[in-house]
Amino acid sequence: MRGTTKLLQAVCAVALLAGATPAFAQDDTTSALLLRLKEKGILTQAEYDDLVARKAPVAQPAAVATNPSAEPQTAAAAQLDDKRLVRMTSSGIGMDVGGVTVKFSGSVNAFYTHDSPDKRLAGTTVVGGLASTGTQNSSAIRNGLLPGIFGLDVSTNQGGWDIAAHFGFYPGINSNSYGGNGANAAGAPVALATSGIDARQTYMTIGKPHLGTLKLGRDIGLFGSDAILNDITLLSVGTPGSNAGPSNTSLGRIGIGYIYTDFQPQITYTTPKFGGFQASIGVFQPLSTLTGGLEINGTPGFQGKLTYDFKADAFTGHLWASGISQRHDGFAGTPSYTGSGFDVGGKLGYGPLNVLGYYYGGSGLGTTGLFVFSTDALGRKRDSSGFYGQASLTFDKVTVAASYGQSKLDLARGEINPTLLDKNSSWVGQVRYGLTSWVTLLAEYTHTEAEAQGPNAARSNTVSVGSILFF
């Protein structure tokens, strides 16, 4: 019994010593210890031979770094092929793949919208009017001013240049007839119909922080872009346009306070920010005058924008001014002309309160869309102008907002056209509730009026309830 106890003690001692000894010294130390135990009679020859046979194989010395002074992170990175790595991005939804960042973003919305025209004015005509007409109310489950959005961004740095590509796909929920406006054509709510995808963004950017950024491709324009991006109806419906047969977008306040900036082919340069100031200038695909047909224009369009952002204690501000100019070479029998316009605006915030003011003016610029109703049938320019103001107040997750705006169109010199639009205007009241960081619930009331150059007019009231999600 005593011999067994000694044996167990010896074995435990050997194991502990072997485990606590550095790898390159284990063989010599353990062998010497076993031999001493045998010589003292604690281990028999058979026990000694058995323990030696079961001893762990010799571990090889660790490799010595060729550059001992290198930091551990540097040495480790040198052993890895970064192009094989996939990592989560630090923000947003996406991943880093071998030095290339891929990010996804998107939005979905749907609203129940009930529209009621003023039936007392049924039968009157306002060409270019945006209030609904007729004798019947309409209901729809539809998109708001935004269709759905799915965005894909791919970016990297090569040779010191920040390079990125963006693809923006805008799928709606409403069936359409694929008319002249593509995926956002007039709605066709019939069985077996389908919705469409508006691929309105496809562009690349190249830049450096101290040099600015060059954008090439199709994206939102410069003139009028801040007007729509800061409009409260961007999140909702506003004036619905056709509600009986809804397309994938409503009007919001387009044509009722500002001209739609549109998504246009362009090459645009944007400067770095200098003390809150930033400027952009670009050449654009020349657009045809909508009332005339396809033009062959020899020069591009030009647009520019200047912005200024500031913050002082609880005050924040975003100010902007932009301009547009494009020569139209005209059609057979009509003169050429240059359509031009400008806008100015500002959004100020103080804590939970935000207020905005905006104004635009143009000659041969048109109304609602760029160069829509910009001339008469003889090619003579019409002047146009418009404005809107809005305010919003936020209490915790609830935001209450309201706005009023109008767009005016003047007759060309010498033109007589009593049914042509004189003014579109609307009032909007809105309540939003931030259910989560992604989801916002909305309820909205809109009153829209259209007045012709003559006595004709139209009025309508719209109620919308729904939700919009961003990720």
Side-chain angles (χ1 to χ4, degrees):
M1 190 68 170
R2 183 177 178 185
T4 303
T5 302
K6 289 183 178 180
L7 175 60
L8 290 175
Q9 291 173 341
V11 172
C12 290
V14 170
L16 289 172
L17 286 171
T21 307
F24 58 84
Q26 283 182 13
D27 184 57
D28 292 341
T29 303
T30 306
S31 297
L33 178 62
L34 292 175
L35 181 60
R36 292 292 301 274
L37 292 173
K38 181 178 77 71
E39 291 174 346
K40 290 182 176 291
I42 297 174
L43 296 177
T44 65
Q45 184 65 45
E47 290 170 344
Y48 171 81
D49 293 338
D50 181 62
L51 289 173
V52 169
R54 290 159 52 186
K55 187 160 55 74
V58 179
Q60 297 299 318
V64 179
T66 56
N67 183 7
S69 63
E71 295 183 359
Q73 295 91 336
T74 304
Q79 306 301 318
L80 299 175
D81 182 1
D82 193 61
K83 293 182 175 58
R84 297 177 181 272
L85 293 183
V86 177
R87 299 183 297 267
M88 293 186 299
T89 54
S90 58
S91 64
I93 300 176
M95 56 189 173
D96 289 321
V97 184
V100 177
T101 300
V102 181
K103 284 193 176 184
F104 307 94
S105 60
S107 177
V108 179
N109 71 82
F111 298 90
Y112 167 72
T113 301
H114 184 82
D115 189 51
S116 304
D118 189 334
K119 300 170 183 60
R120 298 169 297 177
L121 299 173
T124 62
T125 300
V126 182
V127 178
L130 300 179
S132 58
T133 60
T135 60
Q136 291 182 288
N137 298 341
S138 63
S139 290
I141 307 298
R142 61 173 302 158
N143 279 128
L145 178 53
L146 286 174
I149 302 172
F150 179 77
L152 171 63
D153 289 275
V154 181
S155 60
T156 187
N157 185 284
Q158 296 179 349
W161 293 93
D162 294 322
I163 299 172
H166 177 82
F167 302 91
F169 305 98
Y170 289 68
I173 67 171
N174 295 104
S175 302
N176 61 46
S177 57
Y178 288 96
N181 291 326
N184 291 328
V190 295
L192 308 181
T194 63
S195 184
I197 298 177
D198 172 7
R200 64 177 68 176
Q201 286 178 300
T202 307
Y203 64 85
M204 61 182 287
T205 58
I206 307 169
K208 291 186 177 183
H210 63 287
L211 293 179
T213 302
L214 187 67
K215 178 193 297 180
L216 304 93
R218 183 185 183 97
D219 193 22
I220 195 169
L222 298 177
F223 172 77
S225 59
D226 280 58
I228 189 171
L229 294 177
N230 290 282
D231 176 15
I232 58 172
T233 67
L234 184 68
L235 304 177
S236 57
V237 175
T239 297
S242 174
N243 199 54
S247 67
N248 284 336
T249 62
S250 64
L251 289 171
R253 192 168 279 292
I254 294 173
I256 317 175
Y258 52 80
I259 295 176
Y260 181 45
T261 179
D262 226 319
F263 287 76
Q264 307 169 59
Q266 60 186 275
I267 300 175
T268 299
Y269 168 71
T270 299
T271 69
K273 279 198 172 184
F274 299 102
F277 285 96
Q278 190 168 41
S280 299
I281 188 169
V283 293
F284 288 72
Q285 164 69 34
L287 299 175
S288 294
T289 303
L290 187 61
T291 52
L294 182 63
E295 295 174 350
I296 301 176
N297 294 305
T299 57
F302 299 93
Q303 297 184 33
K305 182 171 71 171
L306 177 66
T307 62
Y308 176 64
D309 293 285
F310 66 89
K311 184 176 182 180
D313 297 326
F315 285 97
T316 59
H318 175 67
L319 309 177
W320 71 89
S322 66
I324 182 173
S325 179
Q326 183 195 316
R327 178 178 173 82
H328 298 259
D329 291 336
F331 309 94
T334 63
S336 62
Y337 75 97
T338 298
S340 60
F342 73 95
D343 71 355
V344 292
K347 183 178 182 180
L348 303 176
Y350 181 75
L353 176 66
N354 282 278
V355 295
L356 180 148
Y358 173 80
Y359 175 84
Y360 77 89
S363 177
L365 188 62
T367 190
T368 304
L370 293 171
F371 310 114
V372 176
F373 300 118
S374 57
T375 68
D376 66 3
L378 299 177
R380 298 174 297 191
K381 292 193 294 185
R382 295 169 175 149
D383 293 338
S384 57
S385 62
F387 69 89
Y388 81 95
Q390 73 180 28
S392 66
L393 190 61
T394 300
F395 308 91
D396 193 21
K397 293 186 176 184
V398 177
T399 298
V400 179
S403 70
Y404 173 79
Q406 62 177 240
S407 289
K408 286 183 61 64
L409 182 67
D410 297 336
L411 293 173
R413 182 174 296 181
E415 181 183 11
I416 300 174
N417 194 341
T419 61
L420 180 68
L421 173 72
D422 175 41
K423 181 176 71 175
N424 281 314
S425 63
S426 73
W427 286 95
V428 177
Q430 186 185 95
V431 178
R432 304 194 300 265
Y433 177 75
L435 183 66
T436 71
S437 61
W438 283 19
V439 179
T440 300
L441 308 179
L442 296 100
E444 182 181 78
Y445 167 77
T446 303
H447 174 77
T448 308
E449 296 188 6
E451 301 174 22
Q453 300 289 337
N456 291 356
R459 291 189 291 268
S460 60
N461 297 294
T462 308
V463 176
S464 299
V465 180
S467 179
I468 187 167
L469 174 153
F470 288 96
F471 67 87

